[in-house]
Amino acid sequence: MNYWLLKTEPDEFSIDDLEKIAPRSERWNGIRNYQARNIIRDEIKIDDLAFIYHSSCKNVGIAGIAKVTRSAYIDEDQFDSNSAYFDIKSNRENPRWYCFDVAFIENFNSIITLKQLKSDLKLLDMVLIKQGRLSIQPVKKKEWDHIITYSN
DNA sequence: GCCAACGTTGGC
DNA sequence: GCCAACGTTGGC
């Protein structure tokens, strides 16, 4: 099993929104970055766990946990000219973009802030800290196990 | 709103 | 294939 970190702007979709629809799943779509696309297409599997990370907001950090309930399938929005995620260069014979489904697992009592994560010497190699700009990132098991101790 | 750190596009 | 120009992400 693998672990991931999924960024979302809580104004658009938050851990609270995911909790509200539980136990139903949310389609994680609109990813338009090739590095993230490759992770979706090739690596994300059912029952993987993911941190839900709130970005571009007042309280930036990890807000809770979700579980993958469906692995990669074609993101139909790329073919919809009315969608913000429309991609004129994609086609059905060779689709560019994929999505997957997640369901709610846990909503932390308080956000584990980026500030906390940045100042944690055990997390210096975390993709979130080293690379930053990537909306779907791998999290090592060691990092995962350490980070969830913050949520107690 | 600023701006650094990327990623993408397109001319050559 | 290089690289300048441009666009986006995302913390602050």
Side-chain angles (χ1 to χ4, degrees), chain A residues 4 31 45 68 89 104 116 132 145-146 151:
Chain A
W4 308 100
I31 302 299
K45 303 298 177 199
V68 176
K89 292 178 181 170
F104 175 78
Q116 284 177 282
D145 290 342
H146 179 62
S151 67

Side-chain angles (χ1 to χ4, degrees), chain A residues 22 29 35 40 57 76 124 127 139:
Chain A
N29 67 316
Q35 206 178 339
I40 296 173
C57 61
E76 287 295 324
L124 291 177
V127 177
V139 176

Side-chain angles (χ1 to χ4, degrees), chain A residues 29-105:
Chain A
N29 67 316
I31 302 299
R32 296 293 180 268
N33 167 284
Y34 288 106
Q35 206 178 339
R37 188 280 308 271
N38 293 345
I39 292 173
I40 296 173
R41 193 190 53 192
D42 306 335
E43 298 186 57
I44 291 184
K45 303 298 177 199
I46 286 184
D47 291 336
D48 283 356
L49 293 175
F51 286 133
I52 300 298
Y53 176 92
H54 286 177
S55 70
S56 299
C57 61
K58 203 170 176 182
N59 201 5
V60 170
I62 297 171
I65 297 175
K67 183 174 80 171
V68 176
T69 54
R70 184 178 174 187
S71 57
Y73 59 103
I74 292 166
D75 184 347
E76 287 295 324
D77 289 354
Q78 68 195 298
F79 306 123
D80 176 4
S81 59
N82 293 317
S83 168
Y85 301 124
F86 178 61
D87 184 347
I88 197 167
K89 292 178 181 170
S90 186
N91 60 76
R92 291 189 180 277
E93 290 69 39
N94 190 17
R96 275 191 181 180
W97 308 114
Y98 292 82
C99 56
F100 59 105
D101 290 351
V102 297
F104 175 78
I105 295 288

